[in-house]
Amino acid sequence: MLAYLIRRLFAVVLTLMVVILVTFGIFFIIPKWTGVDPATMYVGKQSDAQAIEAIRQKLGLDDPIVVQFWDFLRGLFMGRDYTSGADTVHCSAPCFGYSFRNEQPIWPVLTDRLPVTLGLAGGAALLWVIGGVVTGIVSALKRGTIWDRTVMTVALAGVSLPIYFTGVVSLAIFSYQLDWVSNEYTEFGTDPALWFSGMILPWVTLAFLYAAMYARLTRATMLEVLGEDYIRTARAKGLREPVVIGKHAMRSTMTPVLTILGMDLGALVGGAILTETTFSLPGLGQAAVAAIGERDLPVILGVTLLTAGAVVVANLIVDLLYAVIDPRVRLS
Amino acid sequence: MSENNVTLQKQRPAAGETLLKVTGLVKHFPITKGLLRRQVGAVQAVDGLSFDVKSGETLGVVGESGCGKSTMGRLITRLLEPTGGTVEFEGRDITHLNVASMRPLRRDVQMIFQDPYSSLNPRHTVGTIVSAPFKLQRITPEGGVKAEVQRLLGRVGLNPEHYNRYPHEFSGGQRQRIGIARALALNPKLVVADEPVSALDVSIQAQVVNLLDDLQEELGLTYVIIAHDLSVIRHVSDRIAVMYLGKIVELTDRKSLYERPMHPYTRALLSAVPVPDPRRRGKRDRILLRGDVPSPIAPPSGCRFHTRCWKATVVCTVEEPPLLALKTGHQVACHHPENHEDLKPGDAALAEVTADGGKVVRTQAPSAAAPATEPTTTAEKAAEKAPAKAAKTATAEAATPGSAPEGAVETAPATSSGEAAGKASKEPAKKPVRKEPGAAEG
Amino acid sequence: MTTESTPGAGGAVSKADGRPSTGAVTKASGRPARRAGAVGEPTTAGAPGTDVFLDVRDLKVHFPTDDGLVKSVDGLSFQLERGKTLGIVGESGSGKSVTSLGIMGLHTVGQYGRGKARISGEIWFDGTDLLAAHPDEVRRLRGREMAMIFQDPLSAMHPYFTVGAQIVEAYRVHHKVDKKKARRRAVELLDRVGIPQPDRRVDDYPHQFSGGMRQRAMIAMALANNPELLIADEPTTALDVTVQAQILDLIRDLQTEFGSAVIVITHDLGVVAELADDILVMYGGRCVERGPAERVFYEPQHPYTWGLLGSMPRIDRDQTDRLIPVHGSPPSLINVPQGCAFNPRCPYADVPADNRTRTERPELKEVGSRHFSACHMTQEERTRIWTEEIAPKL
């Protein structure tokens, strides 16, 4: 088990290094190849030559690539200073970069927005896991019936309908028409009730999409598991059906669900771009969209790194949970 | 064995000539671990096989799962690259031929697989499947591909009209016939069949066995048939190789093997097969081996069978017995062969029997008549030499299924002098004698 | 018939027992007396003095599918006495496994929605008709009074639970005992079936066991509640021959010790010859021949049984002749041939006059003491063909 843990951690570190390398390459090396001066990307084409030169010095864009990468890495772990002449800006660790648009380091911008995204993803995940798994199981147990077909049709619709459709429609109905819920984001610290009211629609909309996928996945897995020999053995022992389903079948059904959940949650940390945009939630996704619009490269880079990191870490957690669930992983 | 038997394409070698010669064949599958794929060990699937196959004969290869018989089949047809040793086909070394140089040889060496469900591409029609070898070899048979395929289908007992059907439209037995037709398309000399009938029902099995028989007679085929079923092997083979953990432990003709087996493993294997005869129930001299086959990753030292062998002595744990011809045409790898003079007489019996490596030899009721081919009394001698050790062994075995409590250890030697001597005397101290249910029947 | 004497050596002490065929109802394992009293209800179809406790009457198990109704079992009847072993022999699709699951009531439990099996007939088990009883009553019998061993012990055990936990569970479903006590029972059972170091191996997971040990553990699980009936569905098919011999031996020993009746389902005539007192040959969802093992092997009365015997290569004979296969393939269970299901493959289909084999379904008729065959040929015809044409070639 310990060896497994060490092996997994080692793999995670390696993956993160690759992610950093690739991200760095995309933002700093590829522009050079294509003849675009990164400095102009940072300040915009209209800027005068002097400003560009200042940026270039600050970012060390004239240094060899290896040195640039080293500085970038060091910044992530130890922080760094951007110096141009007498003008020095300190960016403390973890330094994801420095936004010249906003004239501040990236990390605080990200951490400001992270809670919004986490709140959205966490709440929605809770809803969709419960909803999706329960309907999936019921569907599997009642396969072929009207209930099964109806649920699966709704699930198919859920997967197909985009959030900017369901989101806008639900906003129009429940917020603008009926005025049951708030249509603005309020910080939890300011007013928990209002926060909750503002989050209900985003949660439900986002969860609906995912719940549909989870219901289909759970149903398919459950049907497969119910056909396993060990389920027949469990019944042959004289166990009650709820025990057979709840204990024996559920344990195996949860494995693939967990895998997908880990990846989905990891990806959502980077921001549920559509949901946040639709509901005007000041989360990471919205920040990314804004940054793309403003061509604020350091912010895009920061969000990218953060998302990649979250996915990798979520996968690690899933792998560890696997070991807890499945003795064959733990003991081999 | 002819030294120089370079034959022309498609000219049948005379019966009895060596068609395939295997020397010291080894296949180790590396086990890697960690990110760097460091090799931490190897599955010693096949570990030093030497045998030859004569033209026109059927060599049966039998053994339990993990003995390496299927790997052997894939090595001699060169579907796998051997780790060591040589494979010669018609006097030509084919051990390390690459794919391109193997191509002409594929005409002469064909393989039939076990699972008629997965070895045929479900998206191809039977016609496409059976004619594939012609395309691969860029051969156009006389009268055209279609006519030839239909002739082949008819030959293996399928309706030639079913040329355009898909594998799923056929039953298991019919699918196996398709596989056979495909193997026969290029008129091969050697056909290696890996468990050709084990996935089939009994009544279908017989059809396929008979078909293989007929084809051999008609086309002068040479077979290497790999199977775990000793009854099937007995029926189809001229000579038989018994494998255990990557090695051949015994290689001889059918009659000698089944009537006077020399390797203890062969004997145990034969005695373990349930005989479809209720009158013989409880009257057979059955040797029950303890435990399962050890892992081929870390095979036991010395003789690989010593952990389960009731005759094992100290020498067996350290010295690997070579495969020797103890009689004409009867090769055995054992220090203490059955039906033969002991090769290492007087060696000390094994004192320690680990919990997992213990073994039990069980005989039937004393009243059951002892067969004429009663094994030599090696163990008895050993027991006389070291009675205390032997008793200890028996105690260790007391935990095994069906064995009697220790009390039996004391009673057994006592009965050995009486009329119960028949079987009980064989290994008095080691064997808890017990009554077989139904033994008194008849 | 069968009398057992106990030799001086220990080990067999607990087994000394008259076989129920002698009329005695004694139980080696000290079963509660209520069992003996429970018989005598409508189950007594056998001759007086026998101890029939399982009586299957006209069992039909049909599965509706898109292609049509699959008649997996279509009118099967047999009886089983306490402590006896019945071997059900047949090829794939003959309905033998479906029968066993039918007795266990596993076709109806957990079958949700469409595709549910249609079952009819009667299965009298110790005075209860399992098909008429409340599902919960059948569930309480399952695992306690009747238990099952499956073909592939690796897939039949849950990979996520320890072997011990699975045995403990089997015991605690039917016994109100604490976990500690149940665990002791599990260790004891593992020890009994020959698992070395049972107190340590009890905490292992199935994948840490070898194939043979897994099957032993399955047997331990099945025996946890001293069942009256043990159904072994191809118990050794997935095992190597040396391990198969161990498992067959174990089943035989345990049967004597526990006094359970055993139904062993297999395609291997060798296995039934080793274990069974009676043999039932199934073909196309029906019983074609049933009788004492000796009679079925030595005086078989159905052409399909002859076919099976002739198809089988023998380990005990140096036969160089060709095998005598059954031509053709097993029937489709959706379109079972009219008349005798075996008629398209039967070399003697034309022996009975007026084409009866193709129009009329043959009933099981008694052809000897407790020996039944479903064939239109007369007994003289069958005896002549068997002794003159078949037996000499085997």
Side-chain angles (χ1 to χ4, degrees), chain C residues 265-339:
Chain C
I265 289 161
T266 177
H267 67 280
D268 187 336
L269 288 170
V271 171
V272 276
E274 292 273 341
L275 289 180
D277 300 302
D278 287 326
I279 292 176
L280 190 156
V281 183
M282 283 190 82
Y283 186 81
R286 298 166 189 173
C287 168
V288 293
E289 180 161 7
R290 167 158 62 93
E294 279 258 334
R295 301 236 355 163
V296 174
F297 272 94
Y298 284 97
E299 293 162 65
Q301 292 284 334
H302 196 283
Y304 178 63
T305 317
W306 303 341
L308 283 182
L309 290 168
S311 296
M312 188 179 44
R314 300 285 294 243
I315 183 105
D316 52 340
R317 287 170 210 173
D318 194 37
Q319 92 211 115
T320 42
D321 293 347
R322 291 163 58 82
L323 299 171
I324 317 163
V326 186
H327 295 285
S329 318
S332 146
L333 294 171
I334 295 175
N335 288 309
V336 182
Q338 283 282 306

Side-chain angles (χ1 to χ4, degrees), chain A residues 195-271:
Chain A
W195 171 79
F196 189 79
S197 167
M199 289 302 274
I200 288 179
L201 279 187
W203 279 338
V204 171
T205 315
L206 187 59
F208 184 57
L209 173 76
Y210 281 92
M213 288 197 300
Y214 278 64
R216 296 174 73 82
L217 177 73
T218 307
R219 177 180 182 272
T221 316
M222 181 56 113
L223 282 179
E224 198 185 309
V225 171
L226 284 177
E228 292 282 351
D229 285 358
Y230 56 77
I231 295 299
R232 190 181 54 187
T233 309
R235 289 184 177 133
K237 286 182 195 175
L239 293 176
R240 286 168 205 279
E241 202 53 18
V243 180
V244 173
I245 302 294
K247 186 176 167 189
H248 290 248
M250 274 304 280
R251 196 88 190 250
S252 316
T253 308
M254 281 300 96
T255 315
V257 172
L258 204 68
T259 314
I260 304 293
L261 180 65
M263 297 217 267
D264 285 344
L265 274 182
L268 274 185
V269 169

Side-chain angles (χ1 to χ4, degrees), chain C residues 183-365:
Chain C
R183 188 188 149 91
R184 268 206 303 279
R185 170 85 180 154
V187 173
E188 182 189 304
L189 283 161
L190 287 178
D191 187 38
R192 179 61 200 87
V193 297
I195 304 275
Q197 294 171 280
D199 49 338
R200 199 170 58 77
R201 301 309 298 260
V202 72
D203 292 322
D204 277 358
Y205 289 91
H207 74 273
Q208 294 169 295
F209 274 35
S210 68
M213 296 225 294
R214 266 181 228 132
Q215 195 58 295
R216 286 174 193 272
M218 269 307 284
I219 293 174
M221 200 190 314
L223 292 178
N225 302 301
N226 290 12
E228 189 88 350
L229 172 67
L230 180 67
I231 301 177
D233 188 354
E234 302 272 10
T236 58
T237 307
L239 305 175
D240 274 322
V241 62
T242 54
V243 180
Q244 163 171 291
Q246 298 166 3
I247 297 294
L248 291 181
D249 223 62
L250 178 65
I251 293 177
R252 207 162 27 212
D253 282 356
L254 292 172
Q255 177 180 23
T256 329
E257 188 179 321
F258 286 69
S260 311
V262 174
I263 296 179
V264 58
I265 289 161
T266 177
H267 67 280
D268 187 336
L269 288 170
V271 171
V272 276
E274 292 273 341
L275 289 180
D277 300 302
D278 287 326
I279 292 176
L280 190 156
V281 183
M282 283 190 82
Y283 186 81
R286 298 166 189 173
C287 168
V288 293
E289 180 161 7
R290 167 158 62 93
E294 279 258 334
R295 301 236 355 163
V296 174
F297 272 94
Y298 284 97
E299 293 162 65
Q301 292 284 334
H302 196 283
Y304 178 63
T305 317
W306 303 341
L308 283 182
L309 290 168
S311 296
M312 188 179 44
R314 300 285 294 243
I315 183 105
D316 52 340
R317 287 170 210 173
D318 194 37
Q319 92 211 115
T320 42
D321 293 347
R322 291 163 58 82
L323 299 171
I324 317 163
V326 186
H327 295 285
S329 318
S332 146
L333 294 171
I334 295 175
N335 288 309
V336 182
Q338 283 282 306
C340 174
F342 188 58
N343 85 67
R345 305 176 74 190
C346 182
Y348 310 102
D350 291 317
V351 173
D354 59 33
N355 210 17
R356 264 202 304 159
T357 41
R358 295 186 181 84
T359 53
E360 190 185 317
R361 177 175 165 176
E363 293 302 320
L364 270 182
K365 287 186 293 277

Side-chain angles (χ1 to χ4, degrees), chain C residues 38-105:
Chain C
V39 204
E41 299 221 1
T43 58
T44 43
T50 60
D51 189 11
V52 172
F53 82 107
L54 177 69
D55 188 357
V56 176
R57 294 178 181 178
D58 198 28
L59 177 67
K60 289 183 181 170
V61 185
H62 296 175
F63 298 93
T65 67
D66 291 340
D67 298 325
L69 193 63
V70 177
K71 298 178 176 176
S72 292
V73 177
D74 200 28
L76 183 71
S77 304
F78 64 87
Q79 292 90 37
L80 183 60
E81 293 167 28
R82 280 174 210 282
K84 285 281 194 174
T85 300
L86 173 72
I88 301 185
V89 185
E91 298 181 274
S92 48
S94 62
K96 52 192 197 304
S97 289
V98 175
T99 304
S100 63
L101 294 177
I103 296 169
M104 293 289 289

